[in-house]
Amino acid sequence: MEQVMRLAGQNKLVIFSNSSCCMCHSIKRLFSEFGAHATVYELDQEPSGKEMEKALVRLLGRTPPLPAVFIGGQLVGSTNEVMSLQLERDPTQGSRSHLIMLLKRGGVTTL
């Protein structure tokens, strides 16, 4: 768990992923389309990937735990949480999505 939290806190946007996971690819692409530069850890290619995946299962309370997204060192969640934030609109912010506002507050994007 320590390694996951340390890595998650080292950059503004961190995605723990698996290189063959279609949902991971979709989430990485979503952030890329926002102009957000994510630090991505492909756990199937990391020496301690299995241990990190177990830690993410404990953090998220679900399996599979990937993709797991952290913004500003804080766990946002997996695909369901990210997409829910993207679909929710904030009328006080020009109807921008809650995800965009979270990324802006975290200094990840200027959209």
Side-chain angles (χ1 to χ4, degrees):
M1 181 97 58
E2 285 179 32
Q3 183 179 16
V4 166
M5 298 310 293
R6 181 178 49 78
L7 292 172
Q10 289 178 346
N11 293 284
K12 294 177 182 180
L13 174 59
V14 175
I15 302 172
F16 291 93
S17 177
N18 184 309
S19 62
S20 63
C21 168
C22 64
M23 295 310 288
C24 296
H25 174 76
S26 297
I27 292 298
K28 291 182 285 190
R29 176 130 186 186
L30 175 69
F31 285 110
S32 177
E33 288 178 5
F34 292 150
H37 300 287
T39 299
V40 177
Y41 294 98
E42 300 289 359
L43 297 189
D44 57 323
Q45 298 173 3
E46 293 283 333
S48 58
K50 289 289 183 199
E51 291 79 21
M52 288 191 283
E53 190 169 342
K54 288 176 187 175
L56 289 165
V57 166
R58 289 192 301 274
L59 278 173
L60 289 165
R62 61 173 281 233
T63 185
L66 304 174
V69 177
F70 289 78
I71 298 175
Q74 299 298 310
L75 176 64
V76 172
S78 193
T79 306
N80 289 343
E81 293 81 12
V82 171
M83 295 310 294
S84 291
L85 287 169
Q86 173 58 10
L87 293 172
E88 293 174 15
R89 301 293 168 174
D90 188 341
T92 66
Q93 297 295 323
S95 293
R96 288 192 173 125
S97 75
H98 286 285
L99 182 59
I100 293 291
M101 299 311 299
L102 187 59
L103 291 169
K104 283 185 74 165
R105 280 194 299 273
V108 179
T109 186
T110 58
L111 289 177

